[in-house]
PDB file of all heavy atoms in Angstrom:
ATOM      1  N   SER A   1      -7.392   3.244  -5.775  1.00 96.00           N
ATOM      2  CA  SER A   1      -6.150   2.466  -5.584  1.00 96.00           C
ATOM      3  C   SER A   1      -6.481   1.070  -5.094  1.00 96.00           C
ATOM      4  O   SER A   1      -5.821   0.081  -5.509  1.00 96.00           O
ATOM      5  CB  SER A   1      -5.241   3.183  -4.594  1.00 96.00           C
ATOM      6  OG  SER A   1      -4.718   4.373  -5.147  1.00 96.00           O
ATOM      7  N   LEU A   2      -7.454   0.943  -4.224  1.00 96.00           N
ATOM      8  CA  LEU A   2      -7.858  -0.382  -3.767  1.00 96.00           C
ATOM      9  C   LEU A   2      -8.319  -1.263  -4.945  1.00 96.00           C
ATOM     10  O   LEU A   2      -7.944  -2.440  -5.011  1.00 96.00           O
ATOM     11  CB  LEU A   2      -8.994  -0.282  -2.757  1.00 96.00           C
ATOM     12  CG  LEU A   2      -8.608   0.279  -1.372  1.00 96.00           C
ATOM     13  CD1 LEU A   2      -9.894   0.549  -0.545  1.00 96.00           C
ATOM     14  CD2 LEU A   2      -7.702  -0.683  -0.622  1.00 96.00           C
ATOM     15  N   LYS A   3      -9.053  -0.676  -5.871  1.00 95.00           N
ATOM     16  CA  LYS A   3      -9.502  -1.429  -7.051  1.00 95.00           C
ATOM     17  C   LYS A   3      -8.322  -1.808  -7.944  1.00 95.00           C
ATOM     18  O   LYS A   3      -8.265  -2.912  -8.456  1.00 95.00           O
ATOM     19  CB  LYS A   3     -10.532  -0.613  -7.807  1.00 95.00           C
ATOM     20  CG  LYS A   3     -11.832  -0.406  -7.079  1.00 95.00           C
ATOM     21  CD  LYS A   3     -12.806   0.533  -7.830  1.00 95.00           C
ATOM     22  CE  LYS A   3     -14.077   0.783  -7.029  1.00 95.00           C
ATOM     23  NZ  LYS A   3     -14.962   1.766  -7.710  1.00 95.00           N
ATOM     24  N   THR A   4      -7.378  -0.871  -8.109  1.00 95.00           N
ATOM     25  CA  THR A   4      -6.223  -1.156  -8.938  1.00 95.00           C
ATOM     26  C   THR A   4      -5.379  -2.304  -8.355  1.00 95.00           C
ATOM     27  O   THR A   4      -4.894  -3.176  -9.072  1.00 95.00           O
ATOM     28  CB  THR A   4      -5.305   0.099  -9.056  1.00 95.00           C
ATOM     29  OG1 THR A   4      -6.060   1.141  -9.689  1.00 95.00           O
ATOM     30  CG2 THR A   4      -4.060  -0.199  -9.848  1.00 95.00           C
ATOM     31  N   LEU A   5      -5.269  -2.337  -7.024  1.00 94.00           N
ATOM     32  CA  LEU A   5      -4.494  -3.381  -6.356  1.00 94.00           C
ATOM     33  C   LEU A   5      -5.213  -4.731  -6.359  1.00 94.00           C
ATOM     34  O   LEU A   5      -4.604  -5.760  -6.120  1.00 94.00           O
ATOM     35  CB  LEU A   5      -4.217  -2.992  -4.901  1.00 94.00           C
ATOM     36  CG  LEU A   5      -3.276  -1.822  -4.667  1.00 94.00           C
ATOM     37  CD1 LEU A   5      -3.284  -1.424  -3.198  1.00 94.00           C
ATOM     38  CD2 LEU A   5      -1.874  -2.129  -5.135  1.00 94.00           C
ATOM     39  N   GLY A   6      -6.511  -4.702  -6.605  1.00 93.00           N
ATOM     40  CA  GLY A   6      -7.301  -5.934  -6.543  1.00 93.00           C
ATOM     41  C   GLY A   6      -7.743  -6.261  -5.118  1.00 93.00           C
ATOM     42  O   GLY A   6      -8.085  -7.391  -4.802  1.00 93.00           O
ATOM     43  N   ARG A   7      -7.776  -5.243  -4.238  1.00 93.00           N
ATOM     44  CA  ARG A   7      -8.235  -5.441  -2.876  1.00 93.00           C
ATOM     45  C   ARG A   7      -9.753  -5.461  -2.865  1.00 93.00           C
ATOM     46  O   ARG A   7     -10.408  -4.574  -3.434  1.00 93.00           O
ATOM     47  CB  ARG A   7      -7.743  -4.328  -1.970  1.00 93.00           C
ATOM     48  CG  ARG A   7      -6.234  -4.156  -1.903  1.00 93.00           C
ATOM     49  CD  ARG A   7      -5.553  -5.292  -1.184  1.00 93.00           C
ATOM     50  NE  ARG A   7      -5.934  -5.352   0.212  1.00 93.00           N
ATOM     51  CZ  ARG A   7      -5.408  -6.233   1.082  1.00 93.00           C
ATOM     52  NH1 ARG A   7      -4.492  -7.112   0.650  1.00 93.00           N
ATOM     53  NH2 ARG A   7      -5.758  -6.248   2.335  1.00 93.00           N
ATOM     54  N   PRO A   8     -10.373  -6.448  -2.199  1.00 94.00           N
ATOM     55  CA  PRO A   8     -11.842  -6.549  -2.232  1.00 94.00           C
ATOM     56  C   PRO A   8     -12.571  -5.749  -1.163  1.00 94.00           C
ATOM     57  O   PRO A   8     -13.793  -5.863  -1.038  1.00 94.00           O
ATOM     58  CB  PRO A   8     -12.077  -8.057  -2.008  1.00 94.00           C
ATOM     59  CG  PRO A   8     -10.906  -8.491  -1.211  1.00 94.00           C
ATOM     60  CD  PRO A   8      -9.757  -7.632  -1.591  1.00 94.00           C
ATOM     61  N   HIS A   9     -11.863  -4.894  -0.412  1.00 95.00           N
ATOM     62  CA  HIS A   9     -12.531  -4.128   0.639  1.00 95.00           C
ATOM     63  C   HIS A   9     -12.618  -2.662   0.250  1.00 95.00           C
ATOM     64  O   HIS A   9     -12.028  -2.214  -0.751  1.00 95.00           O
ATOM     65  CB  HIS A   9     -11.812  -4.288   1.973  1.00 95.00           C
ATOM     66  CG  HIS A   9     -10.477  -3.603   2.032  1.00 95.00           C
ATOM     67  ND1 HIS A   9      -9.288  -4.236   1.680  1.00 95.00           N
ATOM     68  CD2 HIS A   9     -10.089  -2.371   2.420  1.00 95.00           C
ATOM     69  CE1 HIS A   9      -8.274  -3.436   1.857  1.00 95.00           C
ATOM     70  NE2 HIS A   9      -8.744  -2.269   2.270  1.00 95.00           N
ATOM     71  N   THR A  10     -13.359  -1.909   1.045  1.00 97.00           N
ATOM     72  CA  THR A  10     -13.520  -0.482   0.842  1.00 97.00           C
ATOM     73  C   THR A  10     -12.904   0.280   2.035  1.00 97.00           C
ATOM     74  O   THR A  10     -12.592  -0.323   3.076  1.00 97.00           O
ATOM     75  CB  THR A  10     -15.011  -0.076   0.758  1.00 97.00           C
ATOM     76  OG1 THR A  10     -15.630  -0.364   2.004  1.00 97.00           O
ATOM     77  CG2 THR A  10     -15.718  -0.874  -0.349  1.00 97.00           C
ATOM     78  N   THR A  11     -12.764   1.578   1.880  1.00 97.00           N
ATOM     79  CA  THR A  11     -12.275   2.415   2.965  1.00 97.00           C
ATOM     80  C   THR A  11     -13.191   2.362   4.182  1.00 97.00           C
ATOM     81  O   THR A  11     -12.732   2.299   5.329  1.00 97.00           O
ATOM     82  CB  THR A  11     -12.076   3.864   2.509  1.00 97.00           C
ATOM     83  OG1 THR A  11     -11.161   3.884   1.419  1.00 97.00           O
ATOM     84  CG2 THR A  11     -11.548   4.742   3.610  1.00 97.00           C
ATOM     85  N   THR A  12     -14.482   2.360   3.950  1.00 98.00           N
ATOM     86  CA  THR A  12     -15.442   2.245   5.042  1.00 98.00           C
ATOM     87  C   THR A  12     -15.259   0.955   5.801  1.00 98.00           C
ATOM     88  O   THR A  12     -15.311   0.941   7.048  1.00 98.00           O
ATOM     89  CB  THR A  12     -16.877   2.350   4.488  1.00 98.00           C
ATOM     90  OG1 THR A  12     -17.070   3.630   3.890  1.00 98.00           O
ATOM     91  CG2 THR A  12     -17.891   2.168   5.610  1.00 98.00           C
ATOM     92  N   GLN A  13     -15.006  -0.138   5.097  1.00 98.00           N
ATOM     93  CA  GLN A  13     -14.770  -1.413   5.784  1.00 98.00           C
ATOM     94  C   GLN A  13     -13.498  -1.375   6.602  1.00 98.00           C
ATOM     95  O   GLN A  13     -13.426  -1.969   7.671  1.00 98.00           O
ATOM     96  CB  GLN A  13     -14.737  -2.540   4.744  1.00 98.00           C
ATOM     97  CG  GLN A  13     -16.098  -2.906   4.174  1.00 98.00           C
ATOM     98  CD  GLN A  13     -16.017  -3.954   3.068  1.00 98.00           C
ATOM     99  OE1 GLN A  13     -15.168  -3.870   2.180  1.00 98.00           O
ATOM    100  NE2 GLN A  13     -16.869  -4.946   3.139  1.00 98.00           N
ATOM    101  N   SER A  14     -12.475  -0.678   6.082  1.00 98.00           N
ATOM    102  CA  SER A  14     -11.241  -0.543   6.881  1.00 98.00           C
ATOM    103  C   SER A  14     -11.503   0.181   8.174  1.00 98.00           C
ATOM    104  O   SER A  14     -11.065  -0.241   9.269  1.00 98.00           O
ATOM    105  CB  SER A  14     -10.184   0.218   6.069  1.00 98.00           C
ATOM    106  OG  SER A  14      -9.711  -0.507   4.964  1.00 98.00           O
ATOM    107  N   ARG A  15     -12.209   1.299   8.085  1.00 98.00           N
ATOM    108  CA  ARG A  15     -12.515   2.074   9.286  1.00 98.00           C
ATOM    109  C   ARG A  15     -13.359   1.266  10.269  1.00 98.00           C
ATOM    110  O   ARG A  15     -13.103   1.256  11.468  1.00 98.00           O
ATOM    111  CB  ARG A  15     -13.256   3.373   8.882  1.00 98.00           C
ATOM    112  CG  ARG A  15     -13.376   4.402  10.005  1.00 98.00           C
ATOM    113  CD  ARG A  15     -14.009   5.673   9.520  1.00 98.00           C
ATOM    114  NE  ARG A  15     -13.188   6.366   8.521  1.00 98.00           N
ATOM    115  CZ  ARG A  15     -12.182   7.153   8.823  1.00 98.00           C
ATOM    116  NH1 ARG A  15     -11.841   7.325  10.082  1.00 98.00           N
ATOM    117  NH2 ARG A  15     -11.522   7.778   7.863  1.00 98.00           N
ATOM    118  N   ASN A  16     -14.350   0.566   9.747  1.00 98.00           N
ATOM    119  CA  ASN A  16     -15.205  -0.258  10.603  1.00 98.00           C
ATOM    120  C   ASN A  16     -14.463  -1.393  11.265  1.00 98.00           C
ATOM    121  O   ASN A  16     -14.750  -1.798  12.396  1.00 98.00           O
ATOM    122  CB  ASN A  16     -16.394  -0.794   9.810  1.00 98.00           C
ATOM    123  CG  ASN A  16     -17.411   0.294   9.483  1.00 98.00           C
ATOM    124  OD1 ASN A  16     -17.471   1.326  10.135  1.00 98.00           O
ATOM    125  ND2 ASN A  16     -18.247   0.038   8.468  1.00 98.00           N
ATOM    126  N   ALA A  17     -13.427  -1.923  10.534  1.00 98.00           N
ATOM    127  CA  ALA A  17     -12.653  -3.025  11.090  1.00 98.00           C
ATOM    128  C   ALA A  17     -11.943  -2.585  12.359  1.00 98.00           C
ATOM    129  O   ALA A  17     -11.932  -3.335  13.389  1.00 98.00           O
ATOM    130  CB  ALA A  17     -11.625  -3.500  10.063  1.00 98.00           C
ATOM    131  N   PHE A  18     -11.359  -1.409  12.355  1.00 98.00           N
ATOM    132  CA  PHE A  18     -10.706  -0.874  13.564  1.00 98.00           C
ATOM    133  C   PHE A  18     -11.718  -0.690  14.694  1.00 98.00           C
ATOM    134  O   PHE A  18     -11.481  -1.038  15.842  1.00 98.00           O
ATOM    135  CB  PHE A  18     -10.014   0.455  13.284  1.00 98.00           C
ATOM    136  CG  PHE A  18      -8.655   0.298  12.653  1.00 98.00           C
ATOM    137  CD1 PHE A  18      -8.491   0.302  11.282  1.00 98.00           C
ATOM    138  CD2 PHE A  18      -7.521   0.143  13.440  1.00 98.00           C
ATOM    139  CE1 PHE A  18      -7.238   0.186  10.705  1.00 98.00           C
ATOM    140  CE2 PHE A  18      -6.244   0.009  12.882  1.00 98.00           C
ATOM    141  CZ  PHE A  18      -6.106   0.039  11.505  1.00 98.00           C
ATOM    142  N   ARG A  19     -12.864  -0.108  14.342  1.00 98.00           N
ATOM    143  CA  ARG A  19     -13.854   0.181  15.394  1.00 98.00           C
ATOM    144  C   ARG A  19     -14.427  -1.105  15.999  1.00 98.00           C
ATOM    145  O   ARG A  19     -14.572  -1.190  17.225  1.00 98.00           O
ATOM    146  CB  ARG A  19     -14.982   1.036  14.772  1.00 98.00           C
ATOM    147  CG  ARG A  19     -14.507   2.410  14.354  1.00 98.00           C
ATOM    148  CD  ARG A  19     -15.591   3.256  13.729  1.00 98.00           C
ATOM    149  NE  ARG A  19     -15.058   4.553  13.354  1.00 98.00           N
ATOM    150  CZ  ARG A  19     -15.754   5.546  12.777  1.00 98.00           C
ATOM    151  NH1 ARG A  19     -17.035   5.336  12.514  1.00 98.00           N
ATOM    152  NH2 ARG A  19     -15.183   6.697  12.471  1.00 98.00           N
ATOM    153  N   MET A  20     -14.694  -2.111  15.173  1.00 98.00           N
ATOM    154  CA  MET A  20     -15.171  -3.374  15.709  1.00 98.00           C
ATOM    155  C   MET A  20     -14.102  -4.072  16.546  1.00 98.00           C
ATOM    156  O   MET A  20     -14.388  -4.706  17.562  1.00 98.00           O
ATOM    157  CB  MET A  20     -15.647  -4.262  14.555  1.00 98.00           C
ATOM    158  CG  MET A  20     -16.899  -3.804  13.887  1.00 98.00           C
ATOM    159  SD  MET A  20     -17.551  -4.981  12.657  1.00 98.00           S
ATOM    160  CE  MET A  20     -16.207  -5.038  11.451  1.00 98.00           C
ATOM    161  N   ALA A  21     -12.835  -3.960  16.098  1.00 98.00           N
ATOM    162  CA  ALA A  21     -11.732  -4.603  16.811  1.00 98.00           C
ATOM    163  C   ALA A  21     -11.607  -4.028  18.225  1.00 98.00           C
ATOM    164  O   ALA A  21     -11.449  -4.769  19.198  1.00 98.00           O
ATOM    165  CB  ALA A  21     -10.445  -4.447  16.045  1.00 98.00           C
ATOM    166  N   HIS A  22     -11.686  -2.721  18.319  1.00 98.00           N
ATOM    167  CA  HIS A  22     -11.622  -2.095  19.669  1.00 98.00           C
ATOM    168  C   HIS A  22     -12.808  -2.551  20.514  1.00 98.00           C
ATOM    169  O   HIS A  22     -12.660  -2.838  21.708  1.00 98.00           O
ATOM    170  CB  HIS A  22     -11.600  -0.568  19.527  1.00 98.00           C
ATOM    171  CG  HIS A  22     -10.305  -0.009  19.064  1.00 98.00           C
ATOM    172  ND1 HIS A  22      -9.135  -0.106  19.784  1.00 98.00           N
ATOM    173  CD2 HIS A  22      -9.985   0.657  17.919  1.00 98.00           C
ATOM    174  CE1 HIS A  22      -8.151   0.487  19.132  1.00 98.00           C
ATOM    175  NE2 HIS A  22      -8.621   0.937  17.986  1.00 98.00           N
ATOM    176  N   GLN A  23     -13.982  -2.598  19.884  1.00 98.00           N
ATOM    177  CA  GLN A  23     -15.187  -3.008  20.604  1.00 98.00           C
ATOM    178  C   GLN A  23     -15.058  -4.445  21.093  1.00 98.00           C
ATOM    179  O   GLN A  23     -15.590  -4.813  22.144  1.00 98.00           O
ATOM    180  CB  GLN A  23     -16.401  -2.862  19.702  1.00 98.00           C
ATOM    181  CG  GLN A  23     -17.746  -3.011  20.412  1.00 98.00           C
ATOM    182  CD  GLN A  23     -18.921  -2.684  19.512  1.00 98.00           C
ATOM    183  OE1 GLN A  23     -18.760  -2.162  18.406  1.00 98.00           O
ATOM    184  NE2 GLN A  23     -20.123  -3.039  19.974  1.00 98.00           N
ATOM    185  N   ALA A  24     -14.328  -5.267  20.314  1.00 98.00           N
ATOM    186  CA  ALA A  24     -14.164  -6.691  20.691  1.00 98.00           C
ATOM    187  C   ALA A  24     -13.087  -6.892  21.730  1.00 98.00           C
ATOM    188  O   ALA A  24     -12.889  -8.018  22.209  1.00 98.00           O
ATOM    189  CB  ALA A  24     -13.818  -7.509  19.446  1.00 98.00           C
ATOM    190  N   GLY A  25     -12.364  -5.824  22.074  1.00 98.00           N
ATOM    191  CA  GLY A  25     -11.381  -5.938  23.150  1.00 98.00           C
ATOM    192  C   GLY A  25      -9.923  -5.929  22.721  1.00 98.00           C
ATOM    193  O   GLY A  25      -9.028  -6.109  23.536  1.00 98.00           O
ATOM    194  N   PHE A  26      -9.679  -5.660  21.443  1.00 98.00           N
ATOM    195  CA  PHE A  26      -8.285  -5.540  20.956  1.00 98.00           C
ATOM    196  C   PHE A  26      -7.777  -4.123  21.225  1.00 98.00           C
ATOM    197  O   PHE A  26      -8.396  -3.137  20.809  1.00 98.00           O
ATOM    198  CB  PHE A  26      -8.189  -5.859  19.464  1.00 98.00           C
ATOM    199  CG  PHE A  26      -8.380  -7.304  19.111  1.00 98.00           C
ATOM    200  CD1 PHE A  26      -9.634  -7.783  18.759  1.00 98.00           C
ATOM    201  CD2 PHE A  26      -7.300  -8.172  19.111  1.00 98.00           C
ATOM    202  CE1 PHE A  26      -9.804  -9.141  18.441  1.00 98.00           C
ATOM    203  CE2 PHE A  26      -7.468  -9.517  18.791  1.00 98.00           C
ATOM    204  CZ  PHE A  26      -8.721  -9.978  18.472  1.00 98.00           C
ATOM    205  N   ASP A  27      -6.620  -4.041  21.886  1.00 96.00           N
ATOM    206  CA  ASP A  27      -6.030  -2.705  22.112  1.00 96.00           C
ATOM    207  C   ASP A  27      -4.635  -2.603  21.477  1.00 96.00           C
ATOM    208  O   ASP A  27      -3.905  -1.626  21.697  1.00 96.00           O
ATOM    209  CB  ASP A  27      -5.960  -2.376  23.587  1.00 96.00           C
ATOM    210  CG  ASP A  27      -5.103  -3.380  24.398  1.00 96.00           C
ATOM    211  OD1 ASP A  27      -4.518  -4.276  23.772  1.00 96.00           O
ATOM    212  OD2 ASP A  27      -5.058  -3.252  25.629  1.00 96.00           O
ATOM    213  N   ASN A  28      -4.224  -3.624  20.714  1.00 98.00           N
ATOM    214  CA  ASN A  28      -2.954  -3.607  20.004  1.00 98.00           C
ATOM    215  C   ASN A  28      -3.242  -3.962  18.564  1.00 98.00           C
ATOM    216  O   ASN A  28      -3.376  -5.154  18.212  1.00 98.00           O
ATOM    217  CB  ASN A  28      -1.985  -4.614  20.664  1.00 98.00           C
ATOM    218  CG  ASN A  28      -0.554  -4.448  20.159  1.00 98.00           C
ATOM    219  OD1 ASN A  28      -0.269  -3.580  19.336  1.00 98.00           O
ATOM    220  ND2 ASN A  28       0.336  -5.288  20.675  1.00 98.00           N
ATOM    221  N   ILE A  29      -3.388  -2.933  17.739  1.00 98.00           N
ATOM    222  CA  ILE A  29      -3.821  -3.142  16.342  1.00 98.00           C
ATOM    223  C   ILE A  29      -2.841  -2.466  15.394  1.00 98.00           C
ATOM    224  O   ILE A  29      -2.571  -1.247  15.533  1.00 98.00           O
ATOM    225  CB  ILE A  29      -5.237  -2.571  16.118  1.00 98.00           C
ATOM    226  CG1 ILE A  29      -6.226  -3.120  17.168  1.00 98.00           C
ATOM    227  CG2 ILE A  29      -5.730  -2.903  14.707  1.00 98.00           C
ATOM    228  CD1 ILE A  29      -7.596  -2.472  17.114  1.00 98.00           C
ATOM    229  N   SER A  30      -2.357  -3.228  14.439  1.00 98.00           N
ATOM    230  CA  SER A  30      -1.458  -2.718  13.428  1.00 98.00           C
ATOM    231  C   SER A  30      -2.242  -2.563  12.130  1.00 98.00           C
ATOM    232  O   SER A  30      -3.248  -3.222  11.883  1.00 98.00           O
ATOM    233  CB  SER A  30      -0.303  -3.667  13.214  1.00 98.00           C
ATOM    234  OG  SER A  30       0.575  -3.244  12.189  1.00 98.00           O
ATOM    235  N   GLY A  31      -1.777  -1.636  11.280  1.00 98.00           N
ATOM    236  CA  GLY A  31      -2.352  -1.458   9.951  1.00 98.00           C
ATOM    237  C   GLY A  31      -1.263  -1.338   8.905  1.00 98.00           C
ATOM    238  O   GLY A  31      -0.170  -0.856   9.193  1.00 98.00           O
ATOM    239  N   ASP A  32      -1.546  -1.809   7.699  1.00 98.00           N
ATOM    240  CA  ASP A  32      -0.584  -1.731   6.610  1.00 98.00           C
ATOM    241  C   ASP A  32      -0.872  -0.537   5.721  1.00 98.00           C
ATOM    242  O   ASP A  32      -2.056  -0.242   5.416  1.00 98.00           O
ATOM    243  CB  ASP A  32      -0.674  -2.982   5.694  1.00 98.00           C
ATOM    244  CG  ASP A  32      -0.179  -4.241   6.386  1.00 98.00           C
ATOM    245  OD1 ASP A  32       0.489  -4.095   7.436  1.00 98.00           O
ATOM    246  OD2 ASP A  32      -0.467  -5.347   5.901  1.00 98.00           O
ATOM    247  N   ILE A  33       0.192   0.171   5.336  1.00 98.00           N
ATOM    248  CA  ILE A  33       0.089   1.240   4.313  1.00 98.00           C
ATOM    249  C   ILE A  33       1.075   0.909   3.191  1.00 98.00           C
ATOM    250  O   ILE A  33       2.262   0.732   3.435  1.00 98.00           O
ATOM    251  CB  ILE A  33       0.449   2.606   4.872  1.00 98.00           C
ATOM    252  CG1 ILE A  33      -0.475   2.995   6.024  1.00 98.00           C
ATOM    253  CG2 ILE A  33       0.367   3.680   3.785  1.00 98.00           C
ATOM    254  CD1 ILE A  33      -0.182   4.368   6.655  1.00 98.00           C
ATOM    255  N   MET A  34       0.543   0.835   1.968  1.00 98.00           N
ATOM    256  CA  MET A  34       1.417   0.589   0.792  1.00 98.00           C
ATOM    257  C   MET A  34       1.696   1.911   0.108  1.00 98.00           C
ATOM    258  O   MET A  34       0.784   2.695  -0.144  1.00 98.00           O
ATOM    259  CB  MET A  34       0.738  -0.410  -0.142  1.00 98.00           C
ATOM    260  CG  MET A  34       1.649  -0.892  -1.246  1.00 98.00           C
ATOM    261  SD  MET A  34       0.868  -2.217  -2.250  1.00 98.00           S
ATOM    262  CE  MET A  34       1.024  -3.577  -1.105  1.00 98.00           C
ATOM    263  N   LEU A  35       2.964   2.152  -0.184  1.00 98.00           N
ATOM    264  CA  LEU A  35       3.431   3.404  -0.737  1.00 98.00           C
ATOM    265  C   LEU A  35       3.716   3.284  -2.235  1.00 98.00           C
ATOM    266  O   LEU A  35       3.938   2.169  -2.739  1.00 98.00           O
ATOM    267  CB  LEU A  35       4.721   3.885  -0.067  1.00 98.00           C
ATOM    268  CG  LEU A  35       4.692   3.968   1.476  1.00 98.00           C
ATOM    269  CD1 LEU A  35       6.102   4.254   1.997  1.00 98.00           C
ATOM    270  CD2 LEU A  35       3.751   5.067   1.909  1.00 98.00           C
TER     271      LEU A  35
END
């Protein structure tokens, strides 16, 4: 689905983005889900 949408990231990159954000000190993180 990511490829169909033309999104240049992977699921692993999404997961890592959250983990790095928490590590960087962010505790208020939103995520988008397209239906």
